Amino acid sequence: MAERIIIDTDPGQDDAVAILLALASPDEIEVLGITAVAGNVPLALTARNARIVCELAGRPDMKVFAGCDRPLRHDLVTAEHVHGKTGLDGPDLPEPTMELQAAHGVDFIIETLRAEPAGTVTLCPLGPLTNIATAFERAPDIVSRVKRMVLMGGAYFEVGNITPAAEFNIYVDPEAAALVFGAGVPLVVLPLDVTHKALVTKPRNDAFRALGNRAGTAVAQMTDFFERFDLAKYGSDGAPLHDPCVTAYLLRPELFSGRHINVEIETVSPLTRGMTVADWWGVTDRAPNATFIGDLDADGFFSLLTERLARL
Ligand SMILES: [Ca+2]
């Protein structure tokens, strides 16, 4: 039976690929709706980009909701330096014609979790955790109804990308992240430690382009755009596909390995705000609250992604 999910996202080229992978896999994944959050770019753009991606996947019927336009307690930090002015720079994609849903994204999350049988809906956050934390805060009754959360965020061995200590999604709203990590919901975390191993090398990007369909071409162009940032910063072999690791984990968990450990979020120190303090080595007696992924079969990941994008 297909896993029923809500994607909470701030597209973002890598969010776009994560969404495409989910929509290309209807046998295994049923997307109940997509909630946009402010993150890589402001909310108006993430809500627009999410719809562009649905139309690219041939799914203008998908429900897309706008959620929170700023973090719980701080000003929004964005990442146009990585993703470009629109958040989806690279391919030349048409403005969306599908409408944004009238309801607020947080209300959609709350109402869906209340309406569906308990333990059947998975949350897949791909951006700052503002929408999820707001839903949990406003409707504590939904927390125990979540089947599990599989999210992209944080880092331990790779430490930080937006500051020396913090990964972007967690850094943007650490108070939200602390609430979500402490909620007691089964949690799988795809941190930079693994996403930095999902690199789009030239042969892998050529494979996307060679698919010859709109999705494959758009993904190749998105990757071309945002790899210049990582190449300059890390000198790596290509852009890391952060968010698609979440969708790939749903489809093929055996491609990934990690440890069930305690992960806490730093919210106080100005120096390390948003740091994911992951007890990878088990040096505390703090209770495990997350499966923290550390490695993946990158070739398996890219063959899965390429094979699925071909279906769009
Ligand atoms: Ca994202």
Side-chain angles (χ1 to χ4, degrees):
M1 209 174 82
E3 184 154 5
R4 313 181 75 214
I5 71 170
I6 296 174
I7 299 177
D8 186 65
T9 177
D10 63 335
Q13 291 90 350
D14 61 316
D15 301 73
V17 181
I19 295 167
L20 291 173
L21 180 56
L23 295 180
S25 308
D27 290 345
E28 295 109 321
I29 296 176
E30 181 187 353
V31 184
L32 301 173
I34 298 176
T35 52
V37 68
N40 287 325
V41 286
L43 180 67
L45 285 170
T46 61
R48 163 192 176 268
N49 295 345
R51 285 176 291 147
I52 288 177
V53 176
C54 290
E55 291 188 2
L56 178 62
R59 291 295 305 276
D61 58 304
M62 182 54 56
K63 291 181 186 159
V64 177
F65 302 81
C68 299
D69 65 357
R70 51 164 295 165
L72 297 184
R73 310 216 205 302
H74 294 277
D75 290 337
L76 178 64
V77 177
T78 54
E80 284 89 354
H81 62 293
V82 183
H83 300 276
K85 202 184 279 258
T86 67
L88 216 51
D89 281 22
D92 190 14
L93 296 168
E95 285 299 316
T97 55
M98 61 188 277
E99 302 257 344
L100 201 55
Q101 299 292 309
H104 192 282
V106 170
D107 292 329
F108 172 73
I109 293 169
I110 293 172
E111 283 158 21
T112 303
L113 282 163
R114 283 180 177 161
E116 299 298 332
T120 64
V121 176
T122 294
L123 299 178
C124 298
L126 309 177
L129 289 158
T130 318
N131 285 345
I132 309 296
T134 304
F136 284 4
E137 224 170 23
R138 200 179 289 168
D141 58 289
I142 65 171
V143 175
S144 64
R145 302 181 68 83
V146 178
K147 178 185 177 191
R148 61 173 178 164
M149 282 186 286
V150 182
L151 67 84
M152 191 276 137
Y156 179 64
F157 294 98
E158 293 283 305
V159 199
N161 60 356
I162 184 76
T163 75
E167 179 278 329
F168 179 80
N169 288 345
I170 307 296
Y171 177 77
V172 171
D173 201 342
E175 286 78 15
L179 196 151
V180 168
F181 277 65
V185 175
L187 177 61
V188 179
V189 178
L190 286 302
L192 296 180
D193 303 341
V194 65
T195 69
H196 279 173
K197 294 170 183 166
L199 297 176
V200 189
T201 57
K202 186 161 187 314
R204 288 168 179 166
N205 208 29
D206 289 345
F208 295 147
R209 194 171 269 110
L211 292 175
N213 61 0
R214 280 181 72 222
T217 306
V219 168
Q221 291 169 336
M222 288 182 213
T223 307
D224 283 343
F225 179 84
F226 81 96
E227 77 164 10
R228 77 206 170 354
F229 171 78
D230 287 281
L231 257 48
K233 184 174 175 189
Y234 296 109
S236 52
D237 292 335
L241 278 184
H242 304 288
D243 294 341
C245 288
V246 167
T247 326
Y249 183 87
L250 297 179
L251 293 166
R252 299 278 304 279
E254 68 276 12
L255 294 174
F256 297 84
S257 59
R259 294 183 181 185
H260 191 59
I261 59 170
N262 177 271
V263 183
E264 302 288 336
I265 312 294
E266 174 59 59
T267 57
V268 179
S269 158
L271 192 61
T272 56
R273 222 178 108 69
M275 187 172 194
T276 42
V277 181
D279 190 8
W280 184 263
W281 301 111
V283 295
T284 75
D285 54 8
R286 293 193 286 260
N289 60 341
T291 299
F292 201 79
I293 303 296
D295 207 353
L296 90 166
D297 169 356
D299 286 332
F301 169 81
F302 279 97
S303 15
L304 172 69
L305 183 53
T306 309
E307 178 244 313
R308 294 303 163 96
L309 290 176
R311 301 180 182 181
L312 292 173

